[in-house]
Structures are given as C-alpha cells and as structure tokens.
Amino acid sequence: MNDPTDRMVRNIVIIGGGTAGWMAAAALAHRFGGTGTSITLVESAEIGIVGVGEATLPQIRYFNRSLGIDEREMMARTSATIKLGIEFCDWGKAGDRYIHPFGAHGETVGPADFHHYWARQHAQGEAHDFGDYCYPIVAAWNDRFALPDEDPDSPLVAFSYAFQFDASLYGVFLSDFAKKKGAKRVEGKVVSVQRDGETGFVTGITLESGQQITGDLFVDCSGFRGLLIEQALETGYEDWSEYLPCNRAYAVPCAFTDTVGPYTRATARKGGWQWRIPLQHRIGNGHVYCDRYISDQEAVDQLMSTLEGEPLADPKQLFFKTGKRRKLWNRNVVAIGLSGGFLEPLESTSIDLIQSGIVNLLALFPERDCAEADRDEYNRLMDLEFERVRDFLMLHYVATQRDDAALWRDMRNMEWPDSLRYKIDAFRRRGIVPEYTHGLFLPPSWLSVFIGQNIVPKAYDPRVDRMSGEELTANLERIRSSIADAVAGTSLHSDFIKSHGASFDGAAAS
Ligand SMILES: Cc1cc2nc3c(=O)[nH]c(=O)nc-3n(C[C@H](O)[C@H](O)[C@H](O)COP(=O)(O)OP(=O)(O)OC[C@H]3O[C@@H](n4cnc5c(N)ncnc54)[C@H](O)[C@@H]3O)c2cc1C
C-alpha cells in the first residue's frame, strides 16, 4: 500500500516578498510550521516591491486575527490609522461628496429595507442626507472613532473598520511573523525555471548565484511580471481595459497640514481619479489615470499641485493593465497578488484579493498532484471574486452624470457586462439590490454608491406606505439623532490612535 505521506506537499516555494508574498508566507507558515512541510520565500532586493498598497478593507482584521496577530502591535509597527470607508468626491457630479462606509445605513423600521423608507421621505423632499443615517459615515465626517460595541442595540455595533498603513512596513511585520513560524527567506534573483517534461509542473528555480531551489507547490507572488504563471507557464491574461481603461498612476507621499481623518479619499479628475490615504506619519497620494485622456505630464502636474503638504519623495510612476490571468492556479503554480491580476485601487481591493487567494488555497490545499478538480474550483471562486470587484468598480464610472471630459462621457456610454446591467436596472426600477452568494461587496456597499451618485429608484417598496407620515418622520429622526449622539460620545481619531497603536509620540496629531 502506498504511504499517504508520499502524496503530501513537502516543499512550498513562494516567489516574491511584497505584500502578497509575505501574507502568503505568514498564513502558510502559521498552518504548516512545525509539520514537516517547508516554506521558502525568494525575493530580490534589487528588483524591490511595488510598495503602494496602503488602504485596506475590514477583512484584513480577520486575516490578522486568524494568525493571532495583536492589532495594536500591527498598527504601531505599520504606522496605521483607522479607515471607516472611502469618501468619493465629484463622482456623480462636480461638487458631490459621499462616503462608501464599512457598515449599513439605518436600521429595521418595518418589513421593507431601510432605504425604501428613506426613498419615500426623499421623494417628498423631507429626508436628510442618506449618510446621516449611517454611524461610520457620521463618525468619519467628524474625525472620530471608537471600537465597535458588544451591545447589539448600540448604533456602534453595525459597522466595521479597516486600516490605512505603510505597505512596506506591513511586509516587514509579516516577514518577522513568518520567519518566527519557520518560513525561510532566500535573497536572490530568479533567472531560470525548471519544469517536468511530462506534466509541465514547475520543479525548481535557479537564482543568479547559481543556487537551485526545488519545490512541490509554487506560489507566484512576483508582481506584475508573473514570473512563473506567465513567463514560465504562459497562462494568458484577460484584458479588462475596455471596462476599466485607467492604465497608469503616479504615487507620492506628503506631509500633513490638517486633520488625519479616519477615511480614504478618492476624487474624480479629468482623466481618472486621485487618492489621499492618511497614515500616522504622512499622507499617501496618487493619481490613477488613462493615458488616452491625459498626458503623463498633466497627470503628475495635477497630483503635485493638489498636495496638502510638502512632498516627501519624488513622484513614482506605475504602469498596469486591468485584468486577470486566465487561470489563477495553473498546474502547480498559484498566482497571488499582482502576478494574478490587477484592478485599479479605487475600492482598495488588491490586498483583499490576496487574502481571498490565500484563504481559498488553504481551503483547497492540494496533494502533490494538484488535482484538476481542486484547481478548477479555486479558479472558479477567484474568477467570481475578480469579476464582482470589476463590476463594482465600474459602477462608480458608469453611474456618473459628468459630461465635462471625454473619459466620463465615454464611461457613461459604454457597453456594460450583463452582470452589472442587471444590478443597475434592478435598483433603478424598484430599489432592490440582489445579493451575491460569493463576492466581496454586499448590498450596503452597492446602495451607498447608487444613492451617493444620484441613482434613485423610480419606485420604492409599496409596504412602506403602510406607515403614516408622522411615524416615518419620527423613526428617521430617532435614528439620525441616536447616531449623532453616539458619535459625539466617542474620541477624536487621533486620540484613539494615541491609545491604540501609535507608532511614535505625536502620531496622527491633528
Ligand atoms: C497605483 C497602485 C495603487 C495601489 N493601491 C492599493 C491600495 O490602496 N490598497 C490595496 O489593497 N492595494 C493597492 N494596490 C495593490 C498593491 O500594491 C499590491 O496588491 C500589493 O502591493 C501586492 O503586490 P505584490 O506583492 O503582488 O507585488 P510586488 O510588491 O511587486 O512584489 C513582487 C516581489 O517579487 C519579487 N520578484 C520579482 N521578480 C523576481 C525575480 N526574478 N527573482 C526574485 N524575486 C523577484 C520582487 O523582488 C518583490 O519582492 C495598488 C497598486 C497600484 C499599482
């Protein structure tokens, strides 16, 4: 009888030490450290990392928690601030401003969803801003933060939070964690890849120094170049530029001049959009754009002329093509991070897609033969994740009323994928937001962008009319004032940081 341990993956090799590589190493070392399966990460200091992923989604807290990472320590080591959502400026029309929060609007007041009650009041011209009925939005506008409450009746319970951090420092933090759990780091540049003549599986890599490293399973975290998944295996790339045309960015950090703000900002521009991500010690800024609509010079001038403080480095230019590999797992190579694909950072989804890649890999962790059925299931799940993020990102562009620049006019008139068309039509007709069984963004996220960008349903749920006008007004007013009171009772974000993960004295000072 065969020894079952013969079938086990004994050597896992990760190529790349960016956020993807070290997140993968940390999670794999946490799972396999001390079990006889080795984890080796190869990175090249000469090539370096992309180093710009600074805004995250709340799911990262579950990733850190699953590894037993202490949040305060992580925040202090990465200069992290709190993120309650993303403020979108000028996306619907010039002058518009709304927050996509990590939490729902309103609460249950009757059989229909809250936004239908708000829509009736709005139709009568009596509603306050939709954001006034959402705790994390009001907290963000007021620069305040407190941890979610344990009490299920408190408005502080129905929200989540994420971090804005220095991505390079997060990598260093995770590398310390992974190495403590037994992962081995090898410095060097991969110059060739060996494959099995029969199966096509990758069997090993050779470094510039001549060192050879063999493995059973390879995790390609080599960034945009896709060293194994593309250069060795020629997996192919699905190009989604027709849906999301931005293909370049400039990034630059600057000093603070104003309050930190527990949120990321994305401001629409003539040929793309600009981000502002406040950390404890600086603000990260960037301009994502499409070179068909503005020149590189115009893009960098726009960025530099709108910085709030002194630039702390020269602007760095980045190039990308929106899309994903045809297979994220091909043979015995799993592509995680930029090697697998890239969707512009409008909703801070890249690190989250890295996390999904790792979680799905652990759930379907293979034997040495990497059975086709497991690979297919992994690819199916990851395709859904990517497609749903793509649709949600597109929503911000197509749900615009702007016609002041060619990019915005083209996005308004473009062909939508069927999956997105259905979502928008369903909301426009009668205010429903069909929920996905898989995929990142839940109905509250779609709702905040729809309403934030002036897509108001033609009809609300008729059950709303069973409530009298007085009762409806009283209910909405009660929710609005309880949120305002709850926010008034919390600390300033900067004070919270000082007591919970400050990197240094005066961190996040306003
Ligand atoms: C403009 C922009 C803004 C972004 N903003 C956000 C954001 O706000 N939030 C978010 O979640 N994500 C964001 N991202 C994405 C985020 O930066 C990446 O998902 C994240 O940094 C992971 O990158 P990576 O580890 O896949 O690749 P990289 O950081 O590029 O790392 C690649 C690694 O592979 C190694 N390598 C490559 N070739 C070789 C070789 N031949 N030999 C040895 N080693 C090699 C390199 O040395 C490096 O260690 C942004 C991306 C861009 C482009």
Side-chain angles (χ1 to χ4, degrees):
M1 200 176 145
N2 285 345
D3 176 358
T5 57
D6 283 352
R7 304 199 306 267
M8 278 172 51
V9 167
R10 293 260 185 223
N11 300 301
I12 306 171
V13 181
I14 301 166
I15 311 293
T19 309
W22 283 116
M23 281 179 78
L28 289 164
H30 185 65
R31 164 76 74 92
F32 295 109
T35 65
T37 295
S38 74
I39 292 135
T40 307
L41 182 145
V42 181
E43 66 176 320
S44 157
E46 188 192 321
I47 294 175
I49 64 168
V50 70
V52 279
E54 297 182 330
T56 65
L57 293 179
Q59 285 78 350
I60 197 165
R61 289 172 43 224
Y62 307 116
F63 179 80
N64 289 337
R65 204 178 291 162
S66 71
L67 302 186
I69 285 173
D70 178 70
E71 182 166 301
R72 285 172 192 241
E73 188 194 346
M74 188 283 294
M75 287 185 70
R77 293 228 6 223
T78 61
S79 233
T81 54
I82 295 293
K83 177 179 170 195
L84 285 168
I86 303 176
E87 179 189 30
F88 288 92
C89 299
D90 304 333
W91 283 81
K93 305 187 290 302
D96 282 356
R97 202 171 159 233
Y98 71 94
I99 286 186
H100 165 203
F102 299 139
H105 289 74
E107 60 182 64
T108 306
V109 290
D113 288 337
F114 173 81
H115 66 275
H116 291 277
Y117 294 90
W118 176 86
R120 171 174 148 193
Q121 198 85 335
H122 178 76
Q124 293 164 356
E126 289 169 16
H128 282 263
D129 187 275
F130 194 46
D132 288 352
Y133 302 94
C134 180
Y135 172 79
I137 294 182
V138 179
W141 290 137
N142 287 283
D143 199 14
R144 289 185 175 264
F145 182 74
L147 291 168
D149 210 325
E150 303 279 297
D151 171 6
D153 293 329
S154 161
L156 269 72
V157 86
F159 79 101
S160 192
Y161 65 94
F163 310 108
Q164 299 160 143
F165 59 32
D166 184 320
S168 313
L169 295 178
Y170 187 57
V172 174
F173 177 73
L174 288 182
S175 78
D176 288 348
F177 176 93
K179 283 187 269 184
K180 270 190 210 134
K181 297 257 175 188
K184 201 169 114 206
R185 174 189 181 274
V186 177
E187 166 65 35
K189 205 195 274 183
V190 179
V191 288
S192 69
V193 177
Q194 292 80 54
R195 294 176 62 188
D196 182 278
E198 208 173 301
T199 61
F201 277 29
V202 172
T203 52
I205 51 166
T206 307
L207 305 185
E208 210 169 28
S209 62
Q211 183 182 353
Q212 291 203 316
I213 299 171
T214 55
D216 307 314
L217 179 71
F218 288 79
V219 186
D220 185 351
C221 298
S222 63
F224 286 125
R225 52 178 59 72
L227 195 82
L228 302 182
I229 196 79
E230 197 57 53
Q231 291 182 10
L233 298 186
E234 299 179 348
T235 303
Y237 196 76
E238 278 176 41
D239 181 349
W240 288 346
S241 317
E242 67 181 296
Y243 296 130
L244 291 166
C246 287
N247 55 2
R248 293 178 183 205
Y250 274 103
V252 66
C254 78
F256 282 118
T257 54
D258 200 356
T259 52
V260 170
Y263 56 92
T264 293
R265 180 179 297 146
T267 306
R269 299 287 187 211
K270 179 179 157 196
W273 59 278
Q274 195 171 321
W275 80 73
R276 173 196 189 268
I277 305 178
L279 313 186
Q280 289 185 27
H281 58 313
R282 61 167 169 81
I283 300 178
N285 306 277
H287 188 179
V288 174
Y289 62 99
C290 173
D291 65 343
R292 286 208 314 275
Y293 297 100
I294 52 166
S295 67
D296 292 340
Q297 193 58 49
E298 217 180 327
V300 73
D301 289 349
Q302 166 88 73
L303 177 65
M304 300 308 278
S305 67
T306 47
L307 294 184
E308 286 164 43
E310 275 297 296
L312 302 175
D314 290 333
K316 175 177 174 183
Q317 192 175 21
L318 298 125
F319 301 86
F320 55 85
K321 189 192 281 182
T322 297
K324 56 169 274 297
R325 298 283 165 220
R326 291 196 190 287
K327 289 177 183 172
L328 277 285
W329 183 347
N330 187 2
R331 297 191 167 82
N332 62 337
V333 173
V334 183
I336 294 182
L338 300 173
S339 64
F342 182 64
L343 298 166
E344 62 184 70
L346 185 58
E347 284 281 357
S348 325
T349 43
S350 284
I351 294 176
D352 191 75
L353 287 167
I354 293 172
Q355 183 175 339
S356 300
I358 294 168
V359 168
N360 285 323
L361 175 60
L362 288 175
L364 297 166
F365 197 80
E367 297 185 335
R368 276 221 307 261
D369 65 351
C370 290
E372 197 172 353
D374 297 331
R375 287 185 262 153
D376 288 349
E377 178 60 3
Y378 181 90
N379 289 328
R380 186 185 74 81
L381 293 172
M382 292 307 295
D383 284 357
L384 277 175
E385 295 280 356
F386 269 83
E387 276 166 26
R388 283 167 177 181
V389 171
R390 176 199 67 194
D391 286 359
F392 189 59
L393 297 184
M394 284 183 70
L395 174 68
H396 299 68
Y397 284 98
V398 303
T400 186
Q401 298 85 54
R402 292 182 66 133
D403 64 359
D404 55 324
L407 167 71
W408 300 100
R409 286 191 291 274
D410 289 353
M411 292 306 283
R412 283 172 61 168
N413 297 323
M414 78 183 310
E415 267 304 306
W416 304 342
D418 289 344
S419 45
L420 177 61
R421 177 177 305 285
Y422 174 64
K423 281 276 221 197
I424 296 180
D425 285 350
F427 189 73
R428 275 209 176 116
R429 267 187 293 115
R430 55 196 190 97
I432 59 165
V433 189
E435 190 168 348
Y436 296 137
T437 39
H438 284 287
L440 188 52
F441 292 104
L442 298 174
S445 295
W446 285 81
L447 203 53
S448 60
V449 180
F450 281 138
I451 293 180
Q453 294 193 199
N454 313 307
I455 299 195
V456 180
K458 288 201 183 98
Y460 53 79
D461 189 318
R463 290 174 296 176
V464 164
D465 284 332
R466 289 198 202 134
M467 190 176 279
S468 72
E470 294 73 36
E471 203 186 339
L472 178 58
T473 303
N475 268 321
L476 294 192
E477 199 42 36
R478 175 182 53 75
I479 294 169
R480 197 176 69 85
S481 58
S482 81
I483 288 173
D485 291 349
V487 168
T490 57
S491 319
L492 280 173
H493 174 223
S494 51
D495 289 338
F496 174 81
I497 297 286
K498 282 175 200 146
S499 67
H500 190 97
S503 302
F504 51 91
D505 280 352
S510 336

